[in-house]
């Protein structure tokens, strides 16, 4: 039932030429400084992790989680932090599922913007079957923006559940 938010027919296009070497990301040698390393305590934090709310958005309950330690990917996380990832992921997911009308929480890690470990939690609204699988982030970009009141209410539920 997954469907993208575009009218048919969509026309595939070929990718452009590859850029080699790839330009450095933020936090990599030769790139801009890592802004995530300068993070505050977000909307919630513990000794290993900081939960942030994006600026704006159309899906109240969307958050991103960053390690306090500068590591690029799962492969670079210190073993204790990698082991702790399951614990914190389950806590954040349960907190987001405390929101009304949420069917699932999608977890995404892209890693192309910054060389600092962070993952995105995005709630799929109950009944929004066209946003299953990989379509949710595409829909998120096309849905109307949530109000500040909606974002605040979701933040309050999630942070209370994490307390």
């Amino acid at each position: 039932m997954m469907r993208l938010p575009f009218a048919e027919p969509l026309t595939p296009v070929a990718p452009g030429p590859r850029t080699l070497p790839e330009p450095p990301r933020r936090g990599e040698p030769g790139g801009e400084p890592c802004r995530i390393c300068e993070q505050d305590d977000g909307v919630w934090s513990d000794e290993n992790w900081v939960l942030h709310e994006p600026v704006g958005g159309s899906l109240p309950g969307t958050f991103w989680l960053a390690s306090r330690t500068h590591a690029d990917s799962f492969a670079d996380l210190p073993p204790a932090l990698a082991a702790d990832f399951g614990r914190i992921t389950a806590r954040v997911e349960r907190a987001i599922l405390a929101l009304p009308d949420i069917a699932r929480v999608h977890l995404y890690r892209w890693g192309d913007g910054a060389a600092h470990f962070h993952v995105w939690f995005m709630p799929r609204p109950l009944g929004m079957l066209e946003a299953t699988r990989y379509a949710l982030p595409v829909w998120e970009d096309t849905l109307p923006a949530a109000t500040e009141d909606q974002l605040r209410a979701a933040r309050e539920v999630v942070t209370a559940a994490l307390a």
Side-chain angles (χ1 to χ4, degrees):
M1 180 91 170
M2 185 194 72
R3 183 171 61 89
L4 295 175
F6 306 105
E8 296 284 339
L10 296 179
T11 305
V13 297
R18 294 183 184 210
T19 301
L20 298 172
E22 291 190 2
R25 298 171 295 157
R26 290 185 312 275
E28 285 183 326
E32 295 178 26
C34 178
R35 294 189 305 238
I36 299 175
C37 281
E38 301 167 3
Q39 65 191 325
D40 56 22
D41 285 335
V43 299
W44 176 90
S45 63
D46 69 9
E47 66 277 0
N48 294 326
W49 307 99
V50 181
L51 188 68
H52 298 274
E53 186 176 38
V55 176
S58 61
L59 295 172
T62 297
F63 293 92
W64 59 280
L65 179 74
S67 61
R68 287 195 182 272
T69 300
H70 183 82
D72 185 9
S73 69
F74 284 104
D76 301 318
L77 285 174
L81 205 56
D84 192 47
F85 181 73
R87 175 196 66 87
I88 194 61
T89 298
R91 283 195 71 201
V92 172
E93 180 185 40
R94 277 192 300 272
I96 295 170
L97 286 170
L99 293 168
D101 298 321
I102 301 300
R104 305 275 185 278
V105 177
H106 292 203
L107 179 67
Y108 298 97
R109 184 194 178 290
W110 289 285
D112 283 328
H116 189 117
F117 184 81
H118 61 291
V119 295
W120 286 82
F121 293 83
M122 296 179 79
R124 181 177 62 76
L126 186 64
M128 191 175 179
L129 297 181
E130 55 271 283
T132 59
R133 299 177 44 200
Y134 56 80
L136 184 58
V138 179
W139 278 98
E140 198 277 334
D141 281 345
T142 62
L143 294 170
T147 67
E148 287 302 316
D149 287 342
Q150 291 170 318
L151 296 172
R152 180 183 34 73
R155 178 176 58 250
E156 288 172 357
V157 168
V158 169
T159 56
L162 288 168

